[in-house]
Amino acid sequence: MGAEQAWVLAAIPAGVFLVLALFGRALPRGGDYLGIAAIASSFVLFFVVLADFLDTPGKIGPVVNDIEWSSIGETFTLRMGIFIDPITIVMFGVITTVALMVNIFSLGYMKGEPRYFWFYAVLQLFAASMLLLVMADNLLLLYISWELVGVCSFLLIGFYWEKRSATEAAKKAFVTTRIGDVGLLIGIILLWKEGGTFNIQELIHLAEEGHFSQPYLFTALAFIFLGCMGKSAQVPFHVWLPDAMEGPTPVSALIHAATMVVAGVYLTARLLPMFEVADGMLLAVTIVGLVTALLTGFIALAQTDIKKVLAYSTVGQLGFMFVALGAGEPAVAMFHLMTHAFFKALLFLGAGSVIIGTHHNQEMDRLGGLWKKMPITGTTFLIGSLALAGVPPLAGFWSKDEIFVVLEHKWGAWAVILLGISAVTTAFYTTRLFIRTFMGRPADPHVYEHTRETPPVMTGPLVFLAFLAVTSGFVVFQDVGKALGFPGGITEFIFLPEHGPHVYKLKWGFAAASVAMAVTGIFAAAWMYWGNDLRRSTALANWQPRLYDMLRSKFYFDELYQGMIDRGVLGFSYIVSWFDRYVVNDTGVDGSAQITGFTGGVLKYIQTGRVPNYAMAVALGVIGLALAGLAVRG
């Protein structure tokens, strides 16, 4: 097996999904071992594909394998296939690694849950769909898998469908992402209409050759980017992701932190050569990323649900990735995507461990001091928190530092300052989250007394992901990359052809600034919350209550959308309903029937049954027609 057979990575979990969906209820333990075996097979085969890929000439691929799917005469031919390049390889590594850890962790987290087999079945379908998405060589296959991961997300957010909040969250995610998906579909159709192909590489070539006019290309890519914004929860489509935390926590780690939500980042990185050709698109991508990173960073400061803090953190870090793409650097964006996947999956699974260990408590107001009770969870959570805050030498530091470097090179100081503010808030709310959960005085002695460390089946994945959160950032260095068999560091593995590879060199000025931002946020949060003492934070909230309420209410985005629905959508629906009721139904349908009935009722009185009367009527009719004819002729 080689890179040309990489489709097997998706085929295995897809096959297991069918088995579990049809027979899972009858299998011992719901067939969870089949699910783990499937994703473990894909994880092992990833290394086989990687080894084969690195043996290709030049060690940068790509590897293509496609077939003719259908044709209509000689005018239309549709080919389907896979495209394996360094971006795909990175996504393979992230998806299979995190999915395997989540499947193992779920053995403990989901134990005893109803519909246990269905949970594992949908996890396999998601893994298959996500792997297919990142290896699709054309936009049509990509869109199909794009929708499949959305369906899996909907099913898993609403897994506890008995809870109204879970069903509402699932519907909210479905509707919000559908808006973006419609844009994506329109963009795909526009590119196909002008380019005559769905093949991504052919479309990129056409764009670079000037086949599309600038307004046309900008419009098509703007629609496609709308889909990327929806799937990656960028402002103003970010509202669905925090509510999606209603799903089981392992789902949050896999789908809503490490994989599905980065699909928009992946697609933008895949099409980045086209974005570079379209004037203004990179600036638009940068602005969306900056606004998202800033807003969600502030919102996270005032949240008390540990999963929602992590959710807003995820949205903000996705903004960092889009900023890197807006700077025209797919390698840096994919680098941060990879490191973030590992430490954010670690943090989400750590939150899940806290929830199980404390018997389903996830509000900071009831936690505190848990490090003594949960030493493995607390230690690994600290590692993930420091990586998220950007503390060296953990993974998050290297990838964030590179984002600041490329951002300053592309857009200058103003963009660096805005993103720097977001970096400080990230360090602040991450430290606040750790202190209020694991340190200081327990907020609820009853919860504290009954807290226990989770079993090894849950702490094992935490330790493995913590190892990756420490070490994965070193792949930026040339020597580390070569030692692992790559051509060099990640910036020598992923690059745009016109830019070429470049060797990473640490810029001490930016590194010092990055450290200063992380330290500022950490010390500010420690001063505010040390010992789980809330007097300073309460005084600050009382000093500016409106500002605090605005942050707690998430800048009132939900209220704004609800108002738009109530006054806009429902108002328009009322007008349509009124028109349908009174104009179409009462006037158009019932009205014509009533007129016919009324006319018949009147005319029945002139029906005498006598032939002379009818003859007289015929004669009068003939005379009338004759007079009318004469009048017309003049």
Side-chain angles (χ1 to χ4, degrees), residues 309-374:
V309 173
L310 294 176
Y312 279 109
S313 165
T314 297
V315 177
Q317 296 306 304
L318 291 169
F320 274 68
M321 297 172 206
F322 277 110
V323 166
L325 291 170
E329 291 289 345
V332 178
M334 295 303 295
F335 182 32
H336 194 55
L337 184 154
M338 180 187 69
T339 61
H340 174 262
F342 295 144
F343 63 68
K344 188 52 66 65
L346 167 63
L347 289 171
F348 265 111
L349 293 185
S353 183
V354 168
I355 292 170
I356 295 298
T358 60
H359 304 283
H360 299 279
N361 284 287
Q362 59 191 75
E363 279 289 333
M364 292 184 208
D365 294 339
R366 303 195 65 189
L367 303 175
L370 300 183
W371 202 351
K372 295 178 182 176
K373 293 279 189 172
M374 308 180 72

Side-chain angles (χ1 to χ4, degrees), residues 200 313 361 465 528 544 555:
I200 294 172
S313 165
N361 284 287
L465 288 170
M528 185 80 72
Q544 289 291 340
F555 289 108

Side-chain angles (χ1 to χ4, degrees), residues 90-286:
V90 171
M91 292 302 297
F92 277 170
V94 168
I95 296 167
T96 55
T97 303
V98 177
L100 179 59
M101 293 301 107
V102 166
N103 272 263
I104 295 172
F105 183 88
S106 299
L107 289 172
Y109 189 92
M110 299 300 291
K111 185 178 181 181
E113 291 281 357
R115 302 182 293 281
Y116 182 73
F117 79 97
W118 179 242
F119 174 81
Y120 270 94
V122 181
L123 277 190
Q124 307 318 307
L125 178 61
F126 171 79
S129 305
M130 194 68 208
L131 288 166
L132 184 62
L133 189 156
V134 300
M135 71 174 91
D137 73 341
N138 68 85
L139 291 176
L140 194 59
L141 183 59
L142 182 145
Y143 186 77
I144 293 170
S145 50
W146 184 279
E147 291 300 325
L148 277 174
V149 297
V151 169
C152 295
S153 172
F154 172 77
L155 293 173
L156 290 170
I157 294 171
F159 182 78
Y160 300 117
W161 51 265
E162 302 88 346
K163 293 170 56 182
R164 181 177 175 82
S165 58
T167 56
E168 293 293 334
K171 286 190 292 184
K172 187 176 183 179
F174 187 80
V175 172
T176 307
T177 54
R178 287 291 76 70
I179 296 172
D181 290 357
V182 170
L184 174 60
L185 183 59
I186 293 173
I188 291 173
I189 293 172
L190 286 175
L191 290 177
W192 172 77
K193 179 177 179 295
E194 192 70 11
T197 179
F198 290 109
N199 187 279
I200 294 172
Q201 300 308 313
E202 292 176 3
L203 287 170
I204 291 173
H205 178 71
L206 288 173
E208 291 175 336
E209 293 296 316
H211 181 80
F212 303 98
S213 68
Q214 276 293 330
Y216 192 93
L217 183 61
F218 183 91
T219 304
L221 291 178
F223 276 114
I224 285 182
F225 189 59
L226 203 62
C228 298
M229 291 171 63
K231 195 67 89 182
S232 292
Q234 296 297 283
V235 173
F237 299 113
H238 66 289
V239 292
W240 68 268
L241 187 56
D243 287 12
M245 299 301 110
E246 288 289 339
T249 304
V251 172
S252 305
L254 176 62
I255 300 180
H256 303 129
T259 52
M260 189 195 79
V261 292
V262 301
V265 177
Y266 162 77
L267 180 55
T268 306
R270 174 62 72 207
L271 298 179
L272 199 60
M274 298 179 74
F275 278 67
E276 285 202 315
V277 173
D279 292 339
M281 274 309 299
L282 290 183
L283 179 60
V285 173
T286 304

Side-chain angles (χ1 to χ4, degrees), residues 79 126 210 212 247 262 289 335 394 398 415 424 431 437 443 452 454 465 469 485 512 564 568 613-614 627:
R79 301 188 68 83
F126 171 79
F212 303 98
V262 301
F335 182 32
L394 303 180
W398 304 107
V424 173
T431 306
T437 304
R452 55 177 173 74
T454 47
L465 288 170
M564 291 171 63
N613 290 347
Y614 296 146
L627 291 174

Side-chain angles (χ1 to χ4, degrees), residues 284-552:
V285 173
T286 304
I287 291 174
V288 168
L290 283 174
V291 170
T292 302
L294 271 174
L295 285 185
T296 55
F298 284 117
I299 292 173
L301 295 175
Q303 305 305 308
T304 55
D305 183 316
I306 58 175
K307 285 182 66 177
K308 289 198 173 182
V309 173
L310 294 176
Y312 279 109
S313 165
T314 297
V315 177
Q317 296 306 304
L318 291 169
F320 274 68
M321 297 172 206
F322 277 110
V323 166
L325 291 170
E329 291 289 345
V332 178
M334 295 303 295
F335 182 32
H336 194 55
L337 184 154
M338 180 187 69
T339 61
H340 174 262
F342 295 144
F343 63 68
K344 188 52 66 65
L346 167 63
L347 289 171
F348 265 111
L349 293 185
S353 183
V354 168
I355 292 170
I356 295 298
T358 60
H359 304 283
H360 299 279
N361 284 287
Q362 59 191 75
E363 279 289 333
M364 292 184 208
D365 294 339
R366 303 195 65 189
L367 303 175
L370 300 183
W371 202 351
K372 295 178 182 176
K373 293 279 189 172
M374 308 180 72
I376 299 176
T377 300
T379 303
T380 54
F381 202 95
L382 176 62
I383 293 171
S385 299
L386 293 175
L388 173 60
V391 174
L394 303 180
F397 166 76
W398 304 107
S399 53
K400 278 188 181 180
D401 181 65
E402 270 297 274
I403 292 175
F404 282 111
V405 172
V406 299
L407 185 62
E408 194 278 336
H409 179 72
K410 179 70 177 180
W411 299 115
W414 66 271
V416 173
I417 292 171
L418 292 177
L419 196 65
I421 295 172
S422 177
V424 173
T425 60
T426 301
F428 185 95
Y429 65 67
T430 305
T431 306
R432 168 179 175 264
L433 172 62
F434 184 79
I435 290 175
R436 295 201 60 190
T437 304
F438 291 100
M439 298 180 70
R441 174 178 53 83
D444 188 329
H446 178 76
V447 171
Y448 178 78
E449 289 299 326
H450 292 82
T451 296
R452 55 177 173 74
E453 182 61 280
T454 47
V457 74
M458 295 176 69
T459 54
L462 298 183
V463 173
F464 183 75
L465 288 170
F467 171 75
L468 293 179
V470 174
T471 60
S472 61
F474 297 129
V475 299
V476 73
F477 294 104
Q478 186 180 48
D479 292 340
V480 175
K482 287 185 175 179
L484 294 173
F486 292 90
I490 194 166
T491 54
E492 298 167 80
F493 186 54
I494 300 175
F495 54 86
L496 296 177
E498 58 271 26
H499 296 175
H502 71 273
V503 180
Y504 171 78
K505 292 181 179 177
L506 181 64
K507 293 181 172 53
W508 290 102
F510 278 98
S514 296
V515 172
M517 286 183 276
V519 170
T520 300
I522 290 172
F523 273 91
W527 177 79
M528 185 80 72
Y529 295 101
W530 191 256
N532 214 1
D533 187 341
L534 302 184
R535 283 178 295 180
R536 286 171 174 158
S537 61
T538 303
L540 182 62
N542 292 334
W543 177 57
Q544 289 291 340
R546 291 186 178 179
L547 177 61
Y548 178 69
D549 289 342
M550 187 167 64
L551 296 180
R552 286 278 293 176

